[in-house]
């Protein structure tokens, strides 16, 4: 019987998150669906083992206060970087509880109190408090590579090697749903969930991003309209725009909700160069777009022009 997450401790509450305006509707929303260009706003980190440095960063997540969580995979740790620039290194190399080995994905609970780490190197999911204390571990996976929370606060897990998605109640560690490859996907490596509870599954075997309803019924696929070049991650914003990292093409590709291409981004500047084998994309509470530029050992923040 695997260990389960312990959520009895409630103290150290976070400050309230900023209140954001509701998404625009009508004509204003239609205009915002067609931005012309993405640009690099900030480069975070450089190669190394110190705080704020990375070695093959993969999964990234952003909490409701704008703090960035990075799966610093080859340094076997998670780094939490606040909006004020403070850096907290959590974990150390190893396979014991509280240690990490090749963390691949990270997801932050909706209340910002906890974060979860998928370790492909140890076939497990670990839970930590945002301050770094280990809260438990669940095993029984095979190379888990994707994590995402749905609007009800349930954690979805891409159990990649077992070819299935699992939905977990993190308050008691019990599974409360999910589906497997019979739904129409192979080797899921990343998950995104929109505000309508639709699930976007990035599949490495078919090089596709497939959209499902919560019951596992296939709704559409981005490859219905175009071929993707080894997609490794996706995210969906409040307007329904779909952000897809194409690792083999070294770019971020943005689509509208119907699968029409809007824009591609691959080059920061002449000085900062191109993306190189990016892995993950995450969206911040104020529209920030973050990419883990894996083989350049850095995180890139983008903005709309």
């Amino acid at each position: 019987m695997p260990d389960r997450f312990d959520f009895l401790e409630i103290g150290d509450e976070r400050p309230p998150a900023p209140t954001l305006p509701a998404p625009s509707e009508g004509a204003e929303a239609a205009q915002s669906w067609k931005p012309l260009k993405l640009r690099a706003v900030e480069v975070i980190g450089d190669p190394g083992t110190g705080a704020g440095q990375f070695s093959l960063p993969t999964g990234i997540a952003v909490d409701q206060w704008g703090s960035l969580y990075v799966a610093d995979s080859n340094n076997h740790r998670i780094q939490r970087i606040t909006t004020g620039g403070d850096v907290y290194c959590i974990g150390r190399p190893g396979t014991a509880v509280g240690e990490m080995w090749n963390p691949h994905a990270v997801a932050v609970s909706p209340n910002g109190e906890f974060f979860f780490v998928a370790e492909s190197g140890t076939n497990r999911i670990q839970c930590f408090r945002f301050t770094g204390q280990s809260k438990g571990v669940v095993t029984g996976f095979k190379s888990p590579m994707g994590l995402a929370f749905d609007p009800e606060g349930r954690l979805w897990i891409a159990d990649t090697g077992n070819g299935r998605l699992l939905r977990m109640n993190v308050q008691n560690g019990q599974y409360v749903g999910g589906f497997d490859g019979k739904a129409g996907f192979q080797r899921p490596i990343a998950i995104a969930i929109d505000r309508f509870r639709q699930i976007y599954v990035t599949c490495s075997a078919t090089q596709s991003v497939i959209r499902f309803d919560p019951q596992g019924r296939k709704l559409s696929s981005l490859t219905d309209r175009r071929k993707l070049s080894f997609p490794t991650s996706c995210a969906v914003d409040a307007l329904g725009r779909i952000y897809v990292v194409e690792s083999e093409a070294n770019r971020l590709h943005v689509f509208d909700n119907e699968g029409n291409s809007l824009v591609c981004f691959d080059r920061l500047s002449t000085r900062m160069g191109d993306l190189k084998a990016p892995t993950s994309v995450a969206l911040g509470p104020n529209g920030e777009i973050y990419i883990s530029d894996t083989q350049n050992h850095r995180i890139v923040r983008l903005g709309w022009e």
Side-chain angles (χ1 to χ4, degrees):
M1 178 68 67
D3 295 331
R4 296 296 181 182
F5 300 132
D6 174 12
F7 279 82
L8 297 179
E9 186 179 355
I10 306 296
D12 289 342
E13 294 186 0
R14 307 293 296 272
T19 301
L20 301 178
S24 301
E25 297 182 358
E28 292 182 1
Q31 291 177 2
S32 64
W33 272 67
K34 295 183 179 181
L36 297 177
K37 191 176 180 182
L38 286 167
R39 64 182 179 90
V41 176
E42 181 183 17
V43 173
I44 302 168
D46 53 19
T49 59
Q53 295 181 317
F54 304 107
S55 180
L56 299 178
T58 52
I60 50 178
V62 187
D63 69 17
Q64 56 190 317
W65 294 275
S67 292
L68 177 67
Y69 290 72
V70 182
D72 190 7
S73 182
N74 209 40
N75 283 326
H76 310 289
R77 64 188 180 184
I78 299 296
Q79 294 199 59
R80 178 167 69 92
I81 305 171
T82 70
T83 55
D86 296 322
V87 181
Y88 301 88
C89 299
I90 300 166
R92 60 183 181 183
T95 58
V97 174
E99 298 176 336
M100 299 183 197
W101 198 258
N102 293 133
H104 188 83
V106 59
V108 184
S109 63
N111 64 4
E113 286 282 322
F114 304 95
F115 67 91
F116 296 77
V117 182
E119 294 178 66
S120 57
T122 56
N123 301 311
R124 66 185 181 180
I125 309 293
Q126 289 201 75
C127 172
F128 294 84
R129 197 172 186 81
F130 75 95
T131 47
Q133 297 91 343
S134 173
K135 297 297 294 180
V137 61
V138 173
T139 58
F141 309 101
K142 186 176 180 181
S143 298
M145 298 181 71
L147 298 172
F149 276 93
D150 64 21
E152 288 77 32
R154 303 297 190 250
L155 178 66
W156 284 82
I157 302 164
D159 188 8
T160 305
N162 285 319
R164 62 183 179 176
L165 304 181
L166 298 170
R167 184 176 187 245
M168 178 185 287
N169 181 344
V170 296
Q171 294 183 345
N172 58 23
Q174 301 299 313
Y175 298 117
V176 291
F179 41 93
D180 59 22
K182 295 178 182 178
F185 60 82
Q186 298 179 45
R187 196 169 173 78
I189 58 174
I191 315 168
I193 302 171
D194 67 18
R195 61 195 181 106
F196 301 108
R197 301 173 178 82
Q198 296 178 129
I199 302 158
Y200 299 72
V201 182
T202 305
C203 303
S204 62
T206 55
Q207 298 197 38
S208 60
V209 175
I210 306 172
R211 177 164 47 188
F212 297 90
D213 69 14
Q215 289 71 46
R217 291 184 289 262
K218 181 178 178 180
L219 300 176
S220 63
S221 172
L222 285 182
T223 51
D224 292 342
R225 295 202 174 197
R226 65 173 59 240
K227 183 179 179 181
L228 301 177
S229 182
F230 201 77
T232 52
S233 176
C234 72
V236 186
D237 68 16
L239 294 175
R241 294 178 295 213
I242 306 165
Y243 301 73
V244 179
V245 171
E246 294 184 76
S247 185
E248 197 169 84
N250 300 308
R251 68 185 181 186
L252 176 71
H253 200 156
V254 186
F255 300 85
D256 68 17
N257 193 252
E258 300 299 321
N260 301 302
S261 177
L262 295 177
V263 66
C264 291
F265 178 89
D266 57 7
R267 186 169 182 79
L268 281 69
S269 68
T270 301
R271 181 175 62 86
M272 292 186 288
D274 300 337
L275 297 176
K276 188 175 181 182
T279 298
S280 187
V281 58
L283 306 179
N286 296 304
E288 306 94 337
I289 305 162
Y290 293 92
I291 303 172
S292 58
D293 190 8
T294 302
Q295 290 191 12
N296 282 322
H297 311 287
R298 63 188 181 183
I299 307 300
V300 178
R301 179 165 65 93
L302 305 181
W304 291 108
E305 284 192 348

